[in-house]
Amino acid sequence: MPGKQITIKDIARALDISVSTVSRALKNNWDISEATRERVQAYAREHHYIPNAMASSLRRSHVQPNFTIGVIVPQFVHYYFSCILTGIEDEAQKHGYMLMVAQSDEKYEKEREIVRRFNEARICGLIVSQAKDTKNYDHFKQMIDNGIPIVFYDRICTGIVTNRIVVDDYDGAFHAVDYLIRTGCRRIAFYCSDKSLEISKNRMNGYRDALLTHKIAVDDELIRFCDNYEQSMELTPYMLMMQERPDAFFAINDDTAMGILHTCKRYGYRIPDDISICGFTNSNITLACDPQLTTVEQRGYELGVAAARTLIERIENGTTEIKNSVVKTRLVVRGSTRPLPEHIVR
């Protein structure tokens, strides 16, 4: 039944048996014959029946809850995702919604289990940034088939037609690399994330186009998969030993950029005189290093507000209109990159 979650009453009506029989069959009660149990459970699986855990709780407590929005965050530890979550919560509270929040920890199996539990809890909508290794989207499709609207943020699923809220990753990357080039850098390394992710593709395209705009050839040796502090500490020494080492690094996020900065300083390079470094996020750590880190600000709070507002509009107005919203970035220039030459500033 696309667009509607079936109930025990629906199953009973379809199979022409009593509601109590369906209920006991679903609980595998041995008072019900094996044939009937199998028939009921097969029908429930086929039509994606989900036990209404929230309804059961209400019958016991006699308390009417607020509407509940599910939110899936890849990792709580990242400053960017915590900013998004704050924006979602502030906007949701304005409209009387509560949040049910879970962390996928970048794992597809955990993400799928969270979606299952959210379905059981009968959330009224979902805001999600997919895990890095998610390649199968059936769990999200089932939720939409059950009539639960979804808004993707940051890491979007291109295989599902639904609302999306993203930052302008392409524009942010383009302007960061363009700035590095205009300050005199020519061999700019790019540490990227999984190339299957849309954010990585868009930042890669921004990086490449900035180079080509300045007629600088793209060197694939300077493009490496590396998206966290530990990996950048391991990889950067090899990059510094290249015959023609990079004179700048552009990193997929601030954690990775910090690993680059610490490694370069450990090897005796002056930042930014010898090597310029630029991150992406504008997290708190960008101010806790020497020199402070130039970075692309993602405006996570604004993205969270936009995601919550979009979802609530769908829930309350019943609209089926698909919106793809883009939050603009800005380059925050600090001490880890050279200043623009005076003739360019003028």
Side-chain angles (χ1 to χ4, degrees):
M1 295 183 180
K4 179 185 177 184
Q5 293 184 359
I6 69 168
T7 66
I8 289 179
K9 289 182 180 180
D10 294 323
I11 299 174
R13 190 180 304 114
L15 300 181
D16 195 24
I17 55 180
S18 70
V19 171
S20 61
T21 298
V22 172
S23 178
R24 284 182 290 167
L26 289 172
K27 294 175 181 176
N28 227 18
N29 192 308
W30 292 100
D31 291 341
I32 306 301
S33 70
E34 183 177 355
T36 300
R37 291 200 311 271
E38 290 179 355
R39 184 177 170 221
V40 170
Q41 291 172 11
Y43 187 92
R45 285 194 300 272
E46 182 182 350
H47 293 84
H48 307 299
Y49 168 74
I50 299 164
N52 194 343
M54 183 175 287
S56 299
S57 174
L58 286 176
R59 283 192 294 270
R60 291 192 298 270
S61 66
H62 304 291
V63 175
Q64 183 68 32
N66 292 321
F67 291 118
T68 304
I69 293 171
V71 182
I72 301 179
V73 179
Q75 286 187 321
F76 288 130
V77 295
H78 287 300
Y79 172 85
Y80 177 55
F81 290 124
S82 67
C83 287
I84 292 173
L85 186 57
T86 301
I88 293 172
E89 183 175 37
D90 285 354
E91 186 66 16
Q93 284 183 344
K94 288 181 185 177
H95 298 271
Y97 288 81
M98 298 186 299
L99 299 187
M100 184 178 292
V101 184
Q103 173 183 247
S104 68
D105 201 27
E106 303 288 14
K107 295 180 176 63
Y108 163 71
E109 292 296 339
K110 188 172 181 181
E111 177 184 87
R112 190 174 64 173
E113 174 62 17
I114 292 168
V115 169
R116 185 191 68 77
R117 287 191 282 111
F118 279 179
N119 264 318
E120 289 184 355
R122 300 286 174 141
I123 60 170
C124 58
L126 175 66
I127 300 174
V128 57
S129 180
Q130 71 179 57
K132 285 181 183 177
D133 64 353
T134 295
K135 302 294 188 295
N136 184 308
Y137 309 110
D138 288 348
H139 51 310
F140 295 132
K141 290 177 182 175
Q142 181 181 332
M143 182 167 275
I144 291 174
D145 288 344
N146 287 334
I148 301 174
I150 298 179
V151 173
F152 281 96
Y153 70 92
D154 190 53
R155 299 186 198 147
I156 61 174
C157 171
T158 57
I160 296 178
V161 180
T162 189
N163 296 71
R164 303 165 183 167
I165 311 291
V166 297
V167 298
D168 197 336
D169 291 296
Y170 172 89
D171 190 69
F174 181 94
H175 281 99
V177 177
D178 173 73
Y179 180 86
L180 291 171
I181 295 169
R182 289 189 294 130
T183 60
C185 301
R186 288 296 178 271
R187 285 187 57 77
I188 303 169
F190 176 40
Y191 284 7
C192 65
S193 190
D194 188 331
K195 294 180 182 178
S196 68
L197 296 174
E198 286 300 305
I199 63 166
S200 194
K201 292 178 186 176
N202 292 334
R203 293 178 197 178
M204 174 74 76
N205 290 335
Y207 164 82
R208 288 177 175 272
D209 285 354
L211 293 175
L212 296 175
T213 297
H214 289 273
K215 297 181 171 53
I216 298 174
V218 177
D219 184 349
D220 289 338
E221 286 296 308
L222 294 176
I223 302 172
R224 300 299 180 97
F225 173 81
C226 177
D227 66 357
N228 60 58
Y229 181 88
E230 291 75 16
Q231 288 178 349
S232 64
M233 292 283 283
E234 293 175 5
L235 174 61
T236 304
Y238 295 98
M239 301 295 286
L240 296 176
M241 289 187 286
M242 294 176 69
Q243 188 170 2
E244 291 185 74
R245 65 161 176 82
D247 58 8
F249 288 85
F250 173 52
I252 194 77
N253 55 47
D254 290 342
D255 285 344
T256 304
M258 288 292 288
I260 297 168
L261 188 149
H262 290 158
T263 302
C264 289
K265 290 180 68 175
R266 193 172 75 247
Y267 277 75
Y269 291 99
R270 298 168 300 165
I271 310 298
D273 296 342
D274 300 324
I275 297 173
S276 289
I277 302 168
C278 180
F280 208 113
T281 300
N282 197 27
S283 58
N284 289 335
I285 62 171
T286 60
L287 302 177
C289 55
D290 183 24
Q292 294 182 345
L293 187 67
T294 292
T295 186
V296 178
E297 184 176 43
Q298 288 181 279
R299 298 173 62 203
Y301 180 86
E302 289 83 353
L303 187 148
V305 169
R309 187 174 297 154
T310 299
L311 182 67
I312 292 168
E313 284 177 2
R314 288 205 64 180
I315 293 169
E316 297 188 348
N317 300 331
T319 177
T320 57
E321 180 185 1
I322 301 301
K323 293 181 180 179
N324 295 321
S325 302
V326 178
V327 176
K328 285 293 183 181
T329 61
R330 74 181 181 98
L331 182 65
V332 180
V333 178
R334 298 194 180 100
S336 67
T337 53
R338 306 168 197 165
L340 287 171
E342 288 187 10
H343 69 280
I344 294 180
V345 173
R346 294 198 189 102

